[in-house]
Each structure stands twice: as structure tokens, then as C-alpha cells.
Amino acid sequence: MLTATAIAHANIAFIKYWGNRDETLRLPSNNSISMNLANLDTRTRVTFNPNLKADTLTLNQIPQAGSGLERVSDFLARVRALSGVPHFAAVHSENNFPMGAGIASSASAFAALSLAASAAAGLTLNERELSRLARTGSGSACRSIPAGFVEWQQGTGDSDSYALSIAPPDYWHLADCVAITCKAHKTTGSTEGHALASTSPLQQVRVSAAPQRVEQCRSAILNRDFAAFAEVVELDSNLMHAVMMTSTPPLLYWQAPTLNVMHAVRRWREEGTPVCYTIDAGPNVHVLTPQRYAQEIEGRLRQLSGVEDVLVAAPGGAAQILQE
Amino acid sequence: MLTATAIAHANIAFIKYWGNRDETLRLPSNNSISMNLANLDTRTRVTFNPNLKADTLTLNQIPQAGSGLERVSDFLARVRALSGVPHFAAVHSENNFPMGAGIASSASAFAALSLAASAAAGLTLNERELSRLARTGSGSACRSIPAGFVEWQQGTGDSDSYALSIAPPDYWHLADCVAITCKAHKTTGSTEGHALASTSPLQQVRVSAAPQRVEQCRSAILNRDFAAFAEVVELDSNLMHAVMMTSTPPLLYWQAPTLNVMHAVRRWREEGTPVCYTIDAGPNVHVLTPQRYAQEIEGRLRQLSGVEDVLVAAPGGAAQILQE
């Protein structure tokens, strides 16, 4: 049987990916840095089957059609081309977290799919090759392949644009307390959003100073320097949202509770608690803090107006094949 | 008696003033465009009196000391130097709107003070001279001197940095529905905020493309083209807040209700109502709409979560001397 199952974690970007140099190959405008999120997972089984007349996809047990299936099918076509396996595939994928609300479900989804599909097709890809393959499905998925704290090197083209681990999961005992402010699906998906980045007059400045922020963030992680980390992470998040809200049309992902959390986090830090925020393309707020503060921060977040739930994640490992 | 009373309106900037080329002279980094707000007024009486041992200031009948008084006293020193009147002055000033929450109280205050103090001291200044004088007290005050729709020309120095009317108040029947989201005083005043503008990596881009936005906004006003007006006004507001939130330290003036209003305004416009928002250095949202929609918009704003009050203002006239 040409089948395999893989699991991959969501990741949260500390230095953001927003905008591509090449939309088709998903070559990003700048390097980015992220942390995998243990326990926020996508689990995907892929079975290539000569009896299938088309690719099929179930997501959380619901059969998918339209653009979601099409994107997966385009991706599987790449795996067929690489492996020589000609069959269509059945894909079953499950997330254990709410989709489309700012936790990058497409990252863990395409990372798990890359690993499961390539293994099912009999390919033996190394980590860099897997990361490149995942990138072609969803840019940030390349960062969910390696373990722990990860840097996506934008590279010069397809062959050297992949993510590498810069520190293992247990290197720094950081927690991501994800304040879920709205379970509704966001209105503009990331793929369309990336294509709008270049319409903002601010994107070029964001991109041109990204190398310094990447450097500051990598150093802060390697030195476990929370104060330096907080400063660059919040600045980078604010810069991305500045680009979003000044693109044409403007993208305003923040909702009222998003701002409540941002203000609260800043107040807590001013009062002496090591804590900072970062926000992806959605209304949820990722609140980062050393693990010893995580329970306290989770409790405080739950008190805030508009916070519906809080998920707490430690640094996660690499994408893995599951033996069934 | 060396006394005079003047009234000036607050103004709302459509193309924002944020950051100075010269902090002392308050020479701005870019031209700005605004509309005076009828009925949102400061009324100020100035009396130069040989018996006074120091300048005095009452604001809404409360005697002031400290930095507020000092700023007024520095300003009066300029009027003394210009006029040769050596006496200290008693200043009584009253606003009919909440202070420091995003309605530019310093603009109407220094415009009224400029006119009252110069008249009390026997100076006869023309509109441009008055606008220059007001500018030295608070930059945006220069825009509350001329009538209606106003452009502040940044100029090359003190002598040619003043505001001019580009259209009289009745030229375009626009209304500003000010959604008051929070009556508390903001935490960072505009004067300190302006000084932080240059610490944002985005300020230079905002400033360098300002001439095009000024041109677009002026044309939209002169053509009474609401769609073109809405686009440039929201972009310019978002650009200023992008600069604010990426300065060091970051300034985040928006509160949760601010975002509720922003999202609602955008939804209403998508549904076909001509309406747009702009936000100054505070949490209130100025919602602009043709006057025939103002009552409808006021009602809708009052339904939104966190909106405490709505003030509706038509285009206002020039600063004026009051005969008492």
C-alpha cells in the first residue's frame, strides 16, 4: 500500500513572512523566524490508490471540494512528478485547533501533507528537500518541517529557499499563550494577502530592514534574552500589520478584543512581567512568555473582554512520520 | 483695557500632520489638510494687566499651573515681544467638548489664544500672520485660523509655514460624526508624539508620498468626490497610525471601540453608504459623511459597543473676535 501518516505542528512567526518575490514558487520577500507549537497539530494520512478517479480530501472528517481540494491536488501533482507514482490520492487531515482564525493551519497542514505524501510515494527526502516541498504548498509550511526554533532562509531561488532549525525545542523554555478572540473564519486568506503586500507603500521599508530584525531575533533566542526578544517581536508584528492596513484594499485583521490583549500585554510588561505579543493574519493574539509565567498569563488572558479561549503551547519538534 | 475675546473651532485633519522638521518652530514634515468643526469651539479671553505678577490661566474655570500654564506663558511672551506690551496676562479659556481624547483641543485653544492675545495687545495681524503665530503654540492650531477646508503649507521656514483656506465652509456639505469612545485623557500628548515620529522606520515613506495624498485630497474636496476622498483619507490615517505603532516607544492610540467603529464604517461603505473614518492621536473616531447621511450615521454609531457619545459637526468658519 502506498500510504503514510504524518504529523506536523503549527508555528508562530516571530519575524513575519508577508509578501513574495515569486508568488508561484512562494519565494518570500524576507527571511522569517518562527517557533513550532507543540500540541497544535495537523495529522494527515495520504494513500495513493490506482482505483481513484481523482484526488480526494477530508478535513476534520468533512469531504472537501472546490479551492481547498484544488490546492491540495496541485500539490499532489508535484509529488507525482517527483516520484513517478501516477495514482490519485486520498488525503485525510485533522487539526486539533480552530482553523483560519490566525493560527497558521495551512502551515501545519502542508508540512504534514509534504511528509505523508512523499513517504507514501516512496520518496526519501531530507529535511531541506521536505521544507522546500512544503513551501510550494504554503510558504510558512516550510518552517513546520524542522524542529524547535526555525529560520526560513529566503534563498536565491527554489533550490535554496527552505527552513533550518536554529535551536532545538528545549533550548529556551518559552510558551505561546494563544488568546483566541474569534473563532469565525477570517475574511481574507493569507495567499491573497501576500499578493497585496506590494500595494502598501510601507512594504519596501519593512522588507529592507528585515535582515536586522532577523539578526536581532536570532540573537535574542540564542541568548535567551527576553527583553530584546520582546522588542523586536512586537515591532515586527506591528510592521506587518502596518503594511496590511495600508495595502489596497486595506486588510485590518485586528478586532476589538485583539487590541484589549495588546494593551494588556504592554501594561503587564511595564509592570515587570516578561511577556510580549505577536499577531498573524487573524484576530488572535499570540502572547509569548517564559514557561514559568505561562499559567499566570493564561489566567490573566481569560479575564480579558472578548477572549474566548486560551491555548498554551511549548516549543514543538519536527514534522514526523507516524507508525500505525 | 488691553482685553479681547476670540473663538476658534477644532479641526479634523484629512491629511495628517505628524512629525516636525523643526520642533521649536513647529515646522511640519509635510503639508496637511483639515476641516474646521463648527460648534466644537474654544472661547478665550485675554487681558494684559500691569498689576499682574505672572501670567494666569483658567481652563473651563479651573486655574492651571505647571506645564499647561508654562506653554501658554511661553506663547504670550512671543506676543509681548511682537507688540511691545510688557504686561502679564490673565487668560480664561473654555472648550465645549471633552479634552485630550482625540479632538484637537490644543488646535482650537492656540488659535483662539493667538487671535485674542494679539488683539488684546493691539496688534493687527492678517490671516497668514495669525496662522503662523498660532502654529508656534501648537502646529495644528494654524489650521483653525482660516475658514472651512484648509491646507497648511509646510513652507520653507517660519515665514511661509501657515494655513490657507482652500474652500469655504459651505462649499461641501460634509459632516464629521465624532464617535467618542473614551473620555479619559490620552496617555501620550501630541507634542511628545511628534518628537517620536522620526523613530519609526515608516515615517520617511509616509512623508515622502504625502504630496500626492495632499493633491488627491484637495482635488477630492474641490470636486466633492466622496469616493476618492474616502480612499485617501483612510489611507492617510492608517499611515499615521502605522508610524505611531512602530515608533520607539510604540504609540497605540486605538482602543477596542476604535476598531469596532473602523470595521463598522468599512462595512457600511461596502454596503453603499458614503462614509469613511479618520483618527487623530486618541481613541475617538471621526466618521465623515455627506450631511444628508449624518443623522443616520449618528444613530448607527450610537448602537456600537464602546461608543459613549457622538458629536456631529459641520464645516466651521474662521477664528473670530467676539464683541462683548
Side-chain angles (χ1 to χ4, degrees), chain A residues 230-251:
Chain A
E231 192 178 336
V232 72
V233 165
E234 288 192 359
L235 173 61
D236 193 82
S237 177
N238 288 350
L239 281 168
M240 180 177 74
H241 287 273
V243 166
M244 290 166 161
M245 69 180 66
T246 55
S247 66
T248 305
L251 300 173

mmCIF file of all heavy atoms in Angstrom, chain A residues 230-251:
data_model
loop_
_atom_site.group_PDB
_atom_site.id
_atom_site.type_symbol
_atom_site.label_atom_id
_atom_site.label_comp_id
_atom_site.label_asym_id
_atom_site.label_seq_id
_atom_site.Cartn_x
_atom_site.Cartn_y
_atom_site.Cartn_z
ATOM 1 N N ALA A 230 11.322 40.581 23.053
ATOM 2 C CA ALA A 230 10.017 41.254 23.095
ATOM 3 C C ALA A 230 10.005 42.477 22.184
ATOM 4 O O ALA A 230 9.051 42.714 21.439
ATOM 5 C CB ALA A 230 9.681 41.666 24.532
ATOM 6 N N GLU A 231 11.083 43.243 22.243
ATOM 7 C CA GLU A 231 11.111 44.490 21.473
ATOM 8 C C GLU A 231 11.034 44.229 19.979
ATOM 9 O O GLU A 231 10.230 44.839 19.257
ATOM 10 C CB GLU A 231 12.387 45.272 21.817
ATOM 11 C CG GLU A 231 12.369 46.680 21.289
ATOM 12 C CD GLU A 231 13.631 47.444 21.683
ATOM 13 O OE1 GLU A 231 14.278 47.067 22.696
ATOM 14 O OE2 GLU A 231 13.977 48.397 20.976
ATOM 15 N N VAL A 232 11.842 43.289 19.502
ATOM 16 C CA VAL A 232 11.884 43.070 18.048
ATOM 17 C C VAL A 232 10.645 42.315 17.567
ATOM 18 O O VAL A 232 10.149 42.554 16.459
ATOM 19 C CB VAL A 232 13.203 42.373 17.629
ATOM 20 C CG1 VAL A 232 13.240 40.909 18.046
ATOM 21 C CG2 VAL A 232 13.393 42.492 16.117
ATOM 22 N N VAL A 233 10.114 41.438 18.402
ATOM 23 C CA VAL A 233 8.932 40.657 18.002
ATOM 24 C C VAL A 233 7.707 41.570 17.867
ATOM 25 O O VAL A 233 6.966 41.490 16.885
ATOM 26 C CB VAL A 233 8.675 39.517 19.008
ATOM 27 C CG1 VAL A 233 7.280 38.933 18.833
ATOM 28 C CG2 VAL A 233 9.721 38.418 18.837
ATOM 29 N N GLU A 234 7.500 42.453 18.830
ATOM 30 C CA GLU A 234 6.345 43.361 18.727
ATOM 31 C C GLU A 234 6.510 44.349 17.577
ATOM 32 O O GLU A 234 5.562 44.626 16.837
ATOM 33 C CB GLU A 234 6.096 44.093 20.057
ATOM 34 C CG GLU A 234 5.535 43.152 21.116
ATOM 35 C CD GLU A 234 5.002 43.858 22.360
ATOM 36 O OE1 GLU A 234 5.080 45.102 22.442
ATOM 37 O OE2 GLU A 234 4.519 43.133 23.260
ATOM 38 N N LEU A 235 7.722 44.864 17.411
ATOM 39 C CA LEU A 235 7.956 45.782 16.293
ATOM 40 C C LEU A 235 7.656 45.087 14.966
ATOM 41 O O LEU A 235 6.970 45.641 14.098
ATOM 42 C CB LEU A 235 9.402 46.299 16.305
ATOM 43 C CG LEU A 235 9.797 47.129 15.073
ATOM 44 C CD1 LEU A 235 8.934 48.381 14.933
ATOM 45 C CD2 LEU A 235 11.279 47.511 15.138
ATOM 46 N N ASP A 236 8.157 43.867 14.820
ATOM 47 C CA ASP A 236 7.969 43.171 13.550
ATOM 48 C C ASP A 236 6.490 42.874 13.284
ATOM 49 O O ASP A 236 6.013 43.014 12.156
ATOM 50 C CB ASP A 236 8.783 41.871 13.529
ATOM 51 C CG ASP A 236 8.842 41.308 12.123
ATOM 52 O OD1 ASP A 236 9.693 41.775 11.345
ATOM 53 O OD2 ASP A 236 8.014 40.441 11.798
ATOM 54 N N SER A 237 5.778 42.501 14.321
ATOM 55 C CA SER A 237 4.336 42.260 14.163
ATOM 56 C C SER A 237 3.630 43.562 13.785
ATOM 57 O O SER A 237 2.810 43.596 12.857
ATOM 58 C CB SER A 237 3.767 41.691 15.471
ATOM 59 O OG SER A 237 2.371 41.508 15.381
ATOM 60 N N ASN A 238 3.952 44.641 14.476
ATOM 61 C CA ASN A 238 3.320 45.927 14.155
ATOM 62 C C ASN A 238 3.654 46.374 12.731
ATOM 63 O O ASN A 238 2.801 46.942 12.039
ATOM 64 C CB ASN A 238 3.748 47.005 15.158
ATOM 65 C CG ASN A 238 3.120 46.788 16.530
ATOM 66 O OD1 ASN A 238 2.228 45.952 16.702
ATOM 67 N ND2 ASN A 238 3.600 47.524 17.517
ATOM 68 N N LEU A 239 4.880 46.102 12.296
ATOM 69 C CA LEU A 239 5.262 46.462 10.926
ATOM 70 C C LEU A 239 4.432 45.684 9.910
ATOM 71 O O LEU A 239 3.966 46.247 8.920
ATOM 72 C CB LEU A 239 6.750 46.176 10.694
ATOM 73 C CG LEU A 239 7.728 47.210 11.244
ATOM 74 C CD1 LEU A 239 9.154 46.663 11.215
ATOM 75 C CD2 LEU A 239 7.660 48.508 10.442
ATOM 76 N N MET A 240 4.240 44.391 10.154
ATOM 77 C CA MET A 240 3.437 43.616 9.198
ATOM 78 C C MET A 240 2.012 44.138 9.155
ATOM 79 O O MET A 240 1.437 44.317 8.071
ATOM 80 C CB MET A 240 3.434 42.135 9.538
ATOM 81 C CG MET A 240 2.585 41.336 8.530
ATOM 82 S SD MET A 240 2.592 39.556 8.785
ATOM 83 C CE MET A 240 1.547 39.406 10.240
ATOM 84 N N HIS A 241 1.431 44.422 10.316
ATOM 85 C CA HIS A 241 0.051 44.908 10.319
ATOM 86 C C HIS A 241 -0.038 46.324 9.742
ATOM 87 O O HIS A 241 -1.053 46.694 9.152
ATOM 88 C CB HIS A 241 -0.563 44.779 11.717
ATOM 89 C CG HIS A 241 -0.850 43.350 12.041
ATOM 90 N ND1 HIS A 241 -2.029 42.731 11.691
ATOM 91 C CD2 HIS A 241 -0.077 42.381 12.583
ATOM 92 C CE1 HIS A 241 -1.977 41.458 12.035
ATOM 93 N NE2 HIS A 241 -0.802 41.214 12.589
ATOM 94 N N ALA A 242 1.032 47.102 9.877
ATOM 95 C CA ALA A 242 1.078 48.419 9.236
ATOM 96 C C ALA A 242 1.019 48.261 7.721
ATOM 97 O O ALA A 242 0.307 49.001 7.031
ATOM 98 C CB ALA A 242 2.349 49.165 9.651
ATOM 99 N N VAL A 243 1.749 47.286 7.200
ATOM 100 C CA VAL A 243 1.695 47.011 5.756
ATOM 101 C C VAL A 243 0.292 46.569 5.363
ATOM 102 O O VAL A 243 -0.291 47.059 4.388
ATOM 103 C CB VAL A 243 2.737 45.933 5.377
ATOM 104 C CG1 VAL A 243 2.483 45.387 3.966
ATOM 105 C CG2 VAL A 243 4.144 46.510 5.480
ATOM 106 N N MET A 244 -0.269 45.648 6.140
ATOM 107 C CA MET A 244 -1.604 45.129 5.818
ATOM 108 C C MET A 244 -2.642 46.244 5.766
ATOM 109 O O MET A 244 -3.454 46.326 4.851
ATOM 110 C CB MET A 244 -2.018 44.118 6.888
ATOM 111 C CG MET A 244 -1.226 42.818 6.830
ATOM 112 S SD MET A 244 -1.480 41.869 8.344
ATOM 113 C CE MET A 244 -0.969 40.222 7.793
ATOM 114 N N MET A 245 -2.620 47.125 6.760
ATOM 115 C CA MET A 245 -3.692 48.126 6.852
ATOM 116 C C MET A 245 -3.483 49.290 5.884
ATOM 117 O O MET A 245 -4.359 50.142 5.771
ATOM 118 C CB MET A 245 -3.868 48.605 8.292
ATOM 119 C CG MET A 245 -2.755 49.438 8.846
ATOM 120 S SD MET A 245 -3.048 49.968 10.575
ATOM 121 C CE MET A 245 -3.010 48.434 11.493
ATOM 122 N N THR A 246 -2.348 49.307 5.194
ATOM 123 C CA THR A 246 -2.119 50.355 4.197
ATOM 124 C C THR A 246 -2.007 49.770 2.792
ATOM 125 O O THR A 246 -1.547 50.444 1.878
ATOM 126 C CB THR A 246 -0.844 51.156 4.527
ATOM 127 O OG1 THR A 246 0.262 50.248 4.647
ATOM 128 C CG2 THR A 246 -0.994 51.935 5.824
ATOM 129 N N SER A 247 -2.395 48.510 2.625
ATOM 130 C CA SER A 247 -2.429 47.947 1.273
ATOM 131 C C SER A 247 -3.748 48.325 0.598
ATOM 132 O O SER A 247 -4.634 48.900 1.227
ATOM 133 C CB SER A 247 -2.216 46.433 1.315
ATOM 134 O OG SER A 247 -3.297 45.794 1.951
ATOM 135 N N THR A 248 -3.861 48.051 -0.678
ATOM 136 C CA THR A 248 -5.084 48.363 -1.442
ATOM 137 C C THR A 248 -5.678 47.077 -1.995
ATOM 138 O O THR A 248 -5.071 46.469 -2.864
ATOM 139 C CB THR A 248 -4.770 49.316 -2.606
ATOM 140 O OG1 THR A 248 -4.115 50.478 -2.086
ATOM 141 C CG2 THR A 248 -6.037 49.742 -3.335
ATOM 142 N N PRO A 249 -6.846 46.605 -1.504
ATOM 143 C CA PRO A 249 -7.598 47.187 -0.399
ATOM 144 C C PRO A 249 -6.883 46.935 0.936
ATOM 145 O O PRO A 249 -6.105 46.003 1.054
ATOM 146 C CB PRO A 249 -8.927 46.414 -0.457
ATOM 147 C CG PRO A 249 -8.560 45.079 -1.041
ATOM 148 C CD PRO A 249 -7.477 45.373 -2.026
ATOM 149 N N PRO A 250 -7.174 47.781 1.941
ATOM 150 C CA PRO A 250 -6.542 47.586 3.247
ATOM 151 C C PRO A 250 -7.043 46.319 3.938
ATOM 152 O O PRO A 250 -8.199 45.950 3.799
ATOM 153 C CB PRO A 250 -6.951 48.826 4.040
ATOM 154 C CG PRO A 250 -8.068 49.456 3.297
ATOM 155 C CD PRO A 250 -8.047 48.956 1.898
ATOM 156 N N LEU A 251 -6.146 45.672 4.680
ATOM 157 C CA LEU A 251 -6.506 44.487 5.465
ATOM 158 C C LEU A 251 -6.380 44.837 6.938
ATOM 159 O O LEU A 251 -5.295 45.187 7.404
ATOM 160 C CB LEU A 251 -5.559 43.328 5.140
ATOM 161 C CG LEU A 251 -5.545 42.872 3.679
ATOM 162 C CD1 LEU A 251 -4.440 41.839 3.449
ATOM 163 C CD2 LEU A 251 -6.901 42.301 3.296
#
